[in-house]
Amino acid sequence: MQQLQRSGMDWDNSATPEAPSAPETLAQTGLTLGFLSDLILRLLYTRGGMVGLDISRLVCLPFKIVEEALTFLKNEKCLEVLGGDLIGRISYRFNLTELGRRRAQEALAQCAYVGPAPVPLEDYVEQVYRQAVTAIDISPESLRAAFAHLVVSEELFNAIGPAIVSGKSVFIYGPPGNGKTTIAQAIGAFMNASGGEIFVPYAFLAENSIITVFDQAVHELAEEKTGTRLEDNEATIRRLLNAGTVDARWVKIKRPVIITGGELNLSMLDLKYSPESNYYQAPMHVKANGGVFLIDDFGRQLCSPKELLNRWIVPLENRIDYLSLASGQKFQVPFEQLTMFSTNLDPKDLVDDAFLRRMRHKLEITAPQRDIYERIFNSYAKRLGMNLCPEAIDYMYEHYYNRGRCPRASDCRDLLETVQSICRFRRIPIQLTRDLIAEAASSFIREFK
């Protein structure tokens, strides 16, 4: 098995990674003529007869490469071809013959994948390293701008910056309700603003198996620049006929921020195999490459912290992971994301020294001091269009925080939104008073015996 090596290679770690170039020959796609032909057979079988333009667009390859497979299938008596209009062979219509339908059924029995052609594993590995999180240009000023909407102590802010720069693992701990998940999301937003977009493939090919990567549920498409519009047929034709364009098998996305919590189990960290279709879906941490992978509520998963630790030892140490196919074959993929573990449980009860040693950065997020609490409270009040009311904060400290309840940053949001709901229900102007905060607190803060 080939070893992934970063050091010594000339990776272009620019802040905005270069887009993969479209292949100009079949060899440059990393696919065989037989593989591409089977993909086209499955496409025509499931969608019916199609013109060359649509076939090229759906498999995301230039037409001159697709045409090579179409010619091969025609010579094999698998296709019948109808003439098109004046724009040439790209407008010809291709239908399966009876032999072609049988061949397509055989191809579907082997693998039911129908979609954009996969990229080779080697190309995926190279692109991941080109757009690693460690390539992001970061300064205190740029990070502060990304955190401007949050109230963060200077001590915590100065700890977050080096954690992002390193691209290593981060262990965040502290009582609930003080912004651990919010900070992780702010880091992801900063990466999007300062790190530029990245490229992920629809799928890649490893050991002759297809592994899908792009996932609309977790990947956010990069916004097009102002003034662009959807591509029309004429522009599409020019792109599919000309060389030197971006490889359409890759999708430009914002750096991903993938959050998983108590639902996480060990099977979710392995390839998801469908025996009916005979291809795979990449696990979540692979989809997070180039971004943030947050394991929230660490210690409350369906598997034990020790089991998770054993699964993460190699990726955290070597920044690579080993994935296994149904056949038993293994291959390596990069583990290139900012991995964050967040918990409100006592770390001593969760993990041992071996785990903590691999956590390069440890951030404790404690209950806010009163000055920080007041800043959060007033900031959220302004956001809701409320007047500032120091007496409301005084009430909370007199009746709750000075009597044993630990203040939480999230209390500000929860209490003020409750006040807002009270005002709306009574059809009175949205306002903040000592009496209203008292009423909201009596409803929100309950001691259950």
Side-chain angles (χ1 to χ4, degrees):
M1 179 167 30
Q2 183 182 4
Q3 297 289 316
L4 298 184
Q5 297 288 339
R6 275 194 72 177
S7 58
M9 300 190 74
D10 186 23
W11 302 112
D12 179 20
N13 277 342
S14 58
T16 302
E18 183 179 351
S21 298
E24 298 188 13
T25 65
L26 178 61
Q28 289 179 3
T29 67
L31 308 174
T32 64
L33 180 61
F35 182 96
L36 181 56
S37 298
D38 284 349
L39 180 60
I40 292 174
L41 285 173
R42 294 195 296 267
L43 180 64
L44 292 173
Y45 185 85
T46 55
R47 298 229 179 185
M50 302 173 68
V51 298
L53 168 66
D54 290 336
I55 296 173
S56 181
R57 180 160 41 194
L58 289 171
V59 301
C60 296
L61 289 172
F63 179 72
K64 64 180 179 180
I65 296 175
V66 172
E67 185 180 26
E68 188 174 341
L70 292 172
T71 300
F72 170 76
L73 291 170
K74 178 180 178 297
N75 293 336
E76 290 289 304
K77 306 290 193 275
C78 292
L79 295 181
E80 59 180 7
V81 186
L82 302 177
D85 55 32
L86 296 178
I87 63 174
R89 287 171 292 184
I90 197 171
S91 67
Y92 289 1
R93 185 171 187 84
F94 299 86
N95 295 314
L96 292 175
T97 63
E98 190 57 39
L99 175 61
R101 291 182 64 82
R102 292 199 299 271
R103 292 275 184 87
Q105 290 170 344
E106 294 171 0
L108 281 166
Q110 293 295 318
C111 175
Y113 176 81
V114 176
V119 304
L121 173 62
E122 295 78 12
D123 290 0
Y124 171 69
V125 169
E126 181 174 349
Q127 188 66 28
V128 168
Y129 285 142
R130 289 185 188 279
Q131 56 201 26
V133 294
T134 51
I136 298 175
D137 185 26
I138 179 174
S139 67
E141 294 75 22
S142 61
L143 184 60
R144 199 174 296 279
F147 277 71
H149 64 295
L150 299 177
V151 179
V152 178
S153 69
E154 197 66 21
E155 180 183 5
L156 178 59
F157 178 83
N158 289 329
I160 292 172
I164 301 175
V165 169
S166 73
K168 304 293 184 181
S169 51
V170 182
F171 187 66
I172 305 176
Y173 62 101
N178 289 307
K180 295 184 291 295
T181 302
T182 302
I183 286 174
Q185 292 171 331
I187 291 173
F190 165 77
M191 289 182 171
N192 289 333
S194 299
E197 299 87 4
I198 64 172
F199 294 87
V200 297
Y202 285 102
F204 65 80
L205 193 65
E207 305 293 346
N208 294 318
S209 295
I210 297 174
I211 294 92
T212 61
V213 179
F214 174 66
D215 185 347
Q216 289 181 316
V218 298
H219 292 143
E220 184 178 355
L221 293 174
E223 295 179 1
E224 295 295 334
K225 294 180 180 179
T226 304
T228 60
R229 58 185 176 83
L230 293 176
E231 188 177 62
D232 56 25
N233 278 343
E234 184 179 351
T236 301
I237 292 168
R238 288 198 301 271
R239 174 173 59 81
L240 294 174
L241 287 175
N242 296 333
T245 57
V246 175
D247 191 340
R249 295 177 295 171
W250 297 80
V251 187
K252 191 193 319 188
I253 65 168
K254 296 182 178 181
R255 290 187 180 267
V257 180
I258 297 180
I259 301 175
T260 179
E263 76 279 4
L264 179 66
N265 58 58
L266 292 179
S267 66
M268 296 168 68
L269 303 177
D270 293 325
L271 291 169
K272 184 178 180 181
Y273 176 61
S274 171
E276 294 81 16
S277 56
N278 198 25
Y279 65 90
Y280 301 81
Q281 182 181 143
M284 288 187 298
H285 60 287
V286 173
K287 295 177 182 179
N289 272 332
V292 175
F293 184 42
L294 170 64
I295 298 91
D296 206 1
D297 288 328
F298 180 60
R300 302 186 188 276
Q301 280 70 35
L302 299 176
C303 52
S304 70
K306 184 176 181 180
E307 288 175 315
L308 272 179
L309 167 62
N310 291 335
R311 176 62 179 85
W312 288 110
I313 282 180
V314 171
L316 291 173
E317 191 78 20
N318 301 328
R319 302 189 72 78
I320 60 173
D321 194 21
Y322 296 87
L323 300 178
S324 299
L325 300 169
S327 63
Q329 293 176 287
K330 292 180 179 290
F331 63 93
Q332 295 180 24
V333 291
F335 188 81
E336 283 293 337
Q337 74 274 151
L338 183 63
T339 308
M340 307 177 72
F341 295 81
S342 170
T343 185
N344 52 39
L345 302 177
D346 190 335
K348 297 192 297 294
D349 298 333
L350 289 177
V351 296
D352 55 19
D353 290 340
F355 178 85
L356 290 175
R357 180 173 62 82
R358 290 172 172 83
M359 295 294 102
R360 184 66 58 87
H361 300 271
K362 305 169 186 68
L363 306 179
E364 183 179 12
I365 301 181
T366 58
Q369 298 295 319
R370 176 155 181 167
D371 62 328
I372 298 294
Y373 183 94
E374 289 180 353
R375 288 169 57 193
I376 297 172
F377 191 96
N378 291 334
S379 174
Y380 210 87
K382 290 179 180 178
R383 196 180 310 173
L384 294 179
M386 294 180 178
N387 57 291
L388 301 187
C389 181
E391 294 80 9
I393 299 176
D394 290 340
Y395 178 88
M396 291 304 302
Y397 273 87
E398 291 168 5
H399 290 78
Y400 294 100
Y401 301 142
N402 292 339
R403 297 186 178 185
R405 176 182 169 84
C406 186
R408 299 175 181 177
S410 62
D411 284 354
C412 304
R413 175 200 62 208
D414 297 333
L415 288 166
L416 290 170
E417 287 183 353
T418 302
V419 169
Q420 182 187 52
S421 298
I422 294 171
C423 293
R424 291 178 59 191
F425 175 71
R426 294 178 181 169
R427 297 180 180 272
I428 62 176
I430 304 298
Q431 58 186 301
L432 180 59
T433 66
R434 182 184 176 95
D435 289 341
L436 284 171
I437 204 71
E439 185 176 350
S442 67
S443 171
F444 173 66
I445 300 176
R446 294 282 184 175
E447 296 296 334
F448 294 99
K449 303 299 183 181

